[in-house]
Amino acid sequence: VSQSRYRAGQFKVFLTEITLRGTDVRSFLQTQCTYDINLVSPNSFQLTSFLDPQGRVEFYGWLVHHHEIFNILIPNSLLERSITRLNKFLISEDVEISTSGEKEFIFIVGRTPPSSLHGAIYGILFDEPSYLTTTIRPDLDFISEDETNLWRGLTGWPSFDGSDYRLEILNNLRLMDLAHTPNKGCYPGQETVSKIS
């Protein structure tokens, strides 16, 4: 793990991709998720969560911003509840929600990632600068599953397979630090989260 912090390494994950598009997609997401959409630059990713009205996390995922299209990469085990949650609050907005199923993604993590990552998406993972791509880099070492799980556990990031998911109030989870923007505008559960804070 310490080697990867100063010299980039990569590992595979399997996540299900939800795609949201339409003229109202930005405003819809802004009123639904716990992270401020305006802070997510194009070609970047950010962990976010979606709550029920009681402030409990219905699902979480990595939001990927592709200009006017947004993808949410989620554990496959949370797919059904994710689609249900998104559709519950979709009233008259021009937003199309689709899913293409589980895919293999590559996270490249480390302090000195290669500069030739064409098409890679930038973000933070395990509290380190990271890139998200679908292409394995033959010039980078693989971080083992044991090392990945250790690193994830030490930093408190949620699992990629949803195995540690529970219907819990956001304030009681590390997601409060990783996937929440303080003083963000209204979204389901926001009042409860703010009162507890």
Side-chain angles (χ1 to χ4, degrees):
V1 170
S2 60
Q3 289 181 347
S4 298
R5 293 187 67 199
Y6 303 105
R7 186 182 63 190
Q10 63 187 333
F11 63 91
K12 299 178 188 177
V13 297
F14 291 90
L15 295 165
T16 295
E17 186 175 62
I18 298 174
T19 300
L20 297 95
R21 67 182 80 224
T23 56
D24 298 327
V25 65
R26 180 181 288 274
S27 59
F28 174 70
L29 283 171
Q30 183 70 350
T31 60
Q32 295 303 312
C33 71
T34 58
Y35 199 85
D36 189 342
I37 296 299
N38 298 316
L39 301 178
V40 184
S41 303
N43 299 315
S44 68
F45 69 86
Q46 169 62 47
L47 185 64
T48 191
S49 58
F50 293 76
L51 313 183
D52 68 9
Q54 289 74 45
R56 299 175 299 185
V57 176
E58 293 249 42
F59 74 97
Y60 61 85
W62 285 263
L63 184 71
V64 182
H65 183 188
H66 297 289
H67 298 286
E68 295 310 309
I69 296 175
F70 289 85
N71 293 331
I72 309 172
L73 309 181
I74 63 165
N76 191 56
S77 61
L78 301 182
L79 176 60
E80 187 175 339
R81 72 181 308 119
S82 302
I83 296 298
T84 300
R85 165 61 178 78
L86 290 170
N87 282 317
K88 182 190 301 183
F89 291 94
L90 186 61
I91 310 299
S92 59
E93 296 89 350
D94 176 23
V95 177
E96 177 189 336
I97 301 171
S98 61
T99 180
S100 53
E102 197 172 43
K103 295 181 178 179
E104 180 181 276
F105 294 92
I106 309 295
F107 277 110
I108 298 173
V109 186
R111 289 288 179 189
T112 54
S115 58
S116 58
L117 285 166
H118 301 295
I121 307 295
Y122 177 77
I124 300 294
L125 184 72
F126 304 162
D127 304 338
E128 300 290 341
S130 305
Y131 289 89
L132 175 67
T133 182
T134 55
T135 306
I136 293 173
R137 289 296 302 261
D139 56 323
L140 293 179
D141 293 335
F142 266 95
I143 304 170
S144 72
E145 185 175 353
D146 286 344
E147 289 175 312
T148 302
N149 288 333
L150 174 62
W151 202 350
R152 187 184 67 76
L154 289 172
T155 54
W157 283 67
S159 61
F160 299 107
D161 62 3
S163 57
D164 59 358
Y165 168 79
R166 61 188 193 277
L167 188 64
E168 179 64 75
I169 291 176
L170 179 69
N171 306 68
N172 295 339
L173 301 171
R174 175 83 160 104
L175 286 170
M176 182 72 176
D177 303 316
L178 302 173
H180 170 255
T181 304
N183 304 316
K184 179 183 177 290
C186 206
Y187 55 87
Q190 182 263 339
E191 186 175 348
T192 301
V193 170
S194 296
K195 282 181 178 178
I196 294 173
S197 293

